[in-house]
Each structure stands twice: as structure tokens, then as C-alpha cells.
Amino acid sequence: MKILNIKELLAGCESPKVEFKREWYSGSSELDDPGWGEFLKDIIALANGNVGFHGQSAYLIIGVDDNDPIPGETRKVFNVPDEGMLSDLQSLRVKTHRKLRSACSPSLPELHFNFVQVDDKTNIFVITIPFPPGLLKLDRDLSTRGMAFQKGIVLFRIGQDVSVADPTEIAALQEGFSRLSNPISNIDSLSLELAQELSK
């Protein structure tokens, strides 16, 4: 992955398609059920994004301060060790997809999990979430560390926050999906380049 591209993301703000977290959801230990719920909630909401962001991949970036940087500077970064759950990314990816399939539909395309070296001492962890084939809805109740979300709801992002869509918002989101005849081929140029670099 080109360091210039990750720096472009780090210099920007969180959005319906970008979320920063200082550390992994459980340090290096195995996620408990609420931890998995928190992780899945963030992926689902980023995948849905919001109106105006259809066709774009999303990024969940671990090891990055979520406080907005001073103009002209990048965010503070923190090394994410490749240990515990993060020592076997293939296993984590398989388990994540299995849990996503049980939690929501339609199925997401393959996620990309990668460590990215930003300097000599710091690796961050980047999850690239391709644009889904349709609006994701919960197929079961989902409990997180702070809230419980009921089966049938739609999670999406308003700015930096995850929210539950009301009927009007769901209709607007679905209209955006319906405008894309082939969502996966309509990824914006930055997202496409990042996804290609991360998959190498």
C-alpha cells in the first residue's frame, strides 16, 4: 500500500465510510460476545455508510487517534501488535465473515485485513470493507458493549456516529443502492487503489 494514500486518509476526518480506533477491540485477547457485537456493528454501519456514499469502500482503521488532527498534520498513530487474534488474519477474516453471515444480510463481499507500516516503529491495522450488494439489515439481535440492537434494523453512519435508520432514512439509503446497477464496479478511485494495494 502506498504510504501517501494512507496519509491522505489519516489527514481527513471520520466519515460515513471511515472510522478510526486507537486500539483493537480486546487488546490482544479473544473477543467476548459483546466485543464481537461491537466489531460487527461497526463493519455493518460502515458498509451501509449514508446517502451520497454509495459505491464507495469503507475503512475501519485501528491504531489511530479519532481526535481530528490540526490542519496540515496527520493523526497520532499507535503501534498495533500482530499478536493474539491479530496473529492469524486469515482465521480472523473467516470467523468475521461467518459471524457477519449470521448477523446480517445480504452477504458482504470479502473483507481485506492488512497491517500497514506507517513508520519504522508503527504498524496500523486496516480493514477494507467493499461496498455491499444491497442495504444490510440485521437478521438477529446484536448486543454490543453499550447497546443492544434488534433484529430487522438498519445500522448506518451519521458523520462519525453509528445510528439506527428510521423508515425515511431506509428509503433514502435503498434508493441510493437501486441507482447502482453494479455496486462493486462503482468504487471511487481512491478506494479502488487502496483496496488493490491492500490485497497484495
Side-chain angles (χ1 to χ4, degrees):
M1 176 180 182
K2 294 179 180 177
I3 193 65
L4 179 63
N5 292 336
I6 192 65
K7 284 186 175 179
E8 185 175 339
L9 281 176
L10 298 184
C13 296
E14 286 190 320
S15 75
K17 287 292 183 175
V18 178
E19 180 170 359
F20 302 110
K21 287 190 174 294
R22 178 168 177 159
E23 59 186 7
W24 177 243
Y25 291 79
S26 63
S28 61
S29 62
E30 179 68 31
L31 286 173
D32 56 13
D33 287 341
W36 272 110
E38 193 77 20
F39 183 38
L40 299 180
K41 174 207 71 175
D42 289 340
I43 291 174
I44 292 166
L46 282 164
N48 283 333
N50 203 333
V51 175
F53 291 84
H54 292 89
Q56 299 181 23
S57 290
Y59 302 96
L60 177 56
I61 306 176
I62 315 295
V64 179
D65 192 347
D66 63 0
N67 292 316
D68 288 341
I70 297 171
E73 295 186 6
T74 57
R75 296 172 181 272
K76 292 180 181 178
V77 294
F78 307 89
N79 187 58
V80 179
D82 56 346
E83 58 187 31
M85 292 187 74
L86 303 185
S87 65
D88 185 348
L89 297 188
Q90 176 61 20
S91 174
L92 177 60
R93 181 167 40 244
V94 168
K95 187 177 291 188
T96 300
H97 273 283
R98 185 173 67 247
K99 288 183 176 290
L100 282 168
R101 284 193 298 272
S102 74
C104 67
S105 60
S107 295
L108 269 169
E110 184 178 355
L111 305 173
H112 297 279
F113 289 15
N114 296 90
F115 282 99
V116 177
Q117 186 173 357
V118 292
D119 59 40
D120 291 340
K121 298 180 179 179
T122 309
N123 288 314
I124 60 175
F125 183 47
V126 180
I127 301 174
T128 304
I129 307 162
F131 189 67
L135 187 63
L136 300 179
K137 296 182 180 181
L138 292 186
D139 292 333
R140 63 171 174 84
D141 293 348
L142 188 66
S143 294
T144 70
R145 290 181 178 137
M147 296 184 65
F149 298 98
Q150 294 183 339
K151 176 182 177 179
I153 68 167
V154 170
L155 296 169
F156 76 128
R157 286 177 64 87
I158 300 178
Q160 302 176 358
D161 300 318
V162 174
S163 185
V164 176
D166 64 28
T168 301
E169 291 164 334
I170 290 173
L173 288 164
Q174 287 178 326
E175 182 180 354
F177 277 91
S178 68
R179 290 178 181 171
L180 298 173
S181 58
N182 186 358
I184 304 305
S185 68
N186 286 289
I187 301 174
D188 64 290
S189 58
L190 174 60
S191 297
L192 180 59
E193 185 174 354
L194 280 168
Q196 289 171 339
E197 290 293 332
L198 285 170
S199 66
K200 292 179 178 178

